[in-house]
Amino acid sequence: MVDNQNSTVLHYSGSWSLTNDPQVPNTQHPSPFHVSTDAGDSMALNFTGAAAIAVNASTNYGHGPYNVV
């Protein structure tokens, strides 16, 4: 598991901001997360020695799509 604030592993490009919501990921364990509203912003992650990666992201109405390449 990689913390979204780990800048050694995750590389954000564009206008990302770190924010808090007392319900994210849940009320018992709220945690800061990154948000961007600008098209073209990106986050890169390089990994080795694994067969897959899971992305925890919002899928609610109003949130933009994301691509995993």
Side-chain angles (χ1 to χ4, degrees):
M1 183 173 207
V2 176
D3 187 299
N4 77 91
Q5 296 179 72
N6 185 336
S7 61
T8 302
V9 177
L10 304 174
H11 306 280
Y12 294 91
S13 297
S15 300
W16 293 88
S17 61
L18 191 62
T19 189
N20 292 295
D21 183 320
Q23 297 182 347
V24 175
N26 60 56
T27 55
Q28 290 78 30
H29 299 85
S31 182
F33 57 95
H34 281 83
V35 174
S36 172
T37 57
D38 295 340
D41 286 358
S42 64
M43 187 278 298
L45 162 70
N46 291 321
F47 68 99
T48 58
I53 186 169
V55 176
N56 293 321
S58 178
T59 58
N60 294 337
Y61 174 78
H63 295 86
Y66 59 88
N67 295 322
V68 177
V69 190

